[in-house]
Amino acid sequence: MIKKIIAPVQAWILLQGKCVGCGRNLSLGRRIEKQDNSQKVICTCGRIFIFDKRKGKYHRATFAEG
Ligand SMILES: [Zn+2]
């Protein structure tokens, strides 16, 4: 029930380029270039996201990506 509400909110926050955990702008995070035309972004709070350069979008890193 709660997840159904949180997931769209988190997706919306990520669309704004912000961390879903602390709300900081992800442009402030540490970026690591990846092979597949994406960047691993580590927020100052420690959460890890993947920035897809082709789509221009962030998503939460999966276990494998982190
Ligand atoms: Zn954060």
Side-chain angles (χ1 to χ4, degrees):
M1 208 41 189
I2 291 167
K3 265 192 175 173
K4 278 186 183 172
I5 300 165
I6 289 175
V9 171
Q10 288 195 341
W12 182 82
I13 292 168
L14 275 177
L15 268 179
Q16 318 300 305
K18 289 178 182 174
C19 175
V20 296
C22 66
R24 286 190 188 92
N25 203 306
L26 286 173
S27 59
L28 303 170
R30 197 153 68 90
R31 285 169 185 270
I32 298 161
E33 292 290 333
K34 283 165 61 84
Q35 305 288 325
D36 57 353
N37 209 18
S38 67
Q39 290 175 324
K40 185 168 160 179
V41 182
I42 305 167
C43 181
T44 44
C45 73
R47 283 180 176 79
I48 300 168
F49 300 89
I50 303 297
F51 181 68
D52 188 320
K53 290 186 192 175
R54 286 160 298 185
K55 295 177 189 165
K57 282 183 186 172
Y58 290 96
H59 67 86
R60 287 291 299 269
T62 63
F63 184 74
E65 289 169 326

